[in-house]
Amino acid sequence: MSYITGILKNWENESLLTVEEVDSYDEIQKYSKPSNVSFPAGRAIPSEFVFDPTAGETE
């Protein structure tokens, strides 16, 4: 029920009062979204980075 309430609140915030306005808004949103460009997850790691799990360890 909270999902439906959220959708209705979004429509109210966008001043969408009729089914035609909602359909038109959805069409505009569908074509204005960026294409499916994928980005790598996480942060970029410099190529000169060397992983040393013992770095900083004292015996």
Side-chain angles (χ1 to χ4, degrees):
M1 193 64 172
S2 61
Y3 177 75
I4 295 169
T5 302
I7 290 173
L8 294 174
K9 283 183 181 181
N10 287 341
W11 290 351
E12 181 181 32
N13 291 340
E14 295 292 332
S15 300
L16 303 174
L17 304 176
T18 67
V19 173
E20 291 80 16
E21 289 174 339
V22 171
D23 288 342
S24 177
Y25 179 80
D26 286 345
E27 279 297 312
I28 291 169
Q29 292 300 312
K30 184 169 91 175
Y31 291 111
S32 67
K33 288 184 180 179
S35 63
N36 293 338
V37 177
S38 63
F39 295 98
R43 298 187 316 188
I45 299 175
S47 59
E48 64 272 1
F49 176 78
V50 177
F51 178 68
D52 182 1
T54 61
E57 295 287 323
T58 57
E59 294 182 53

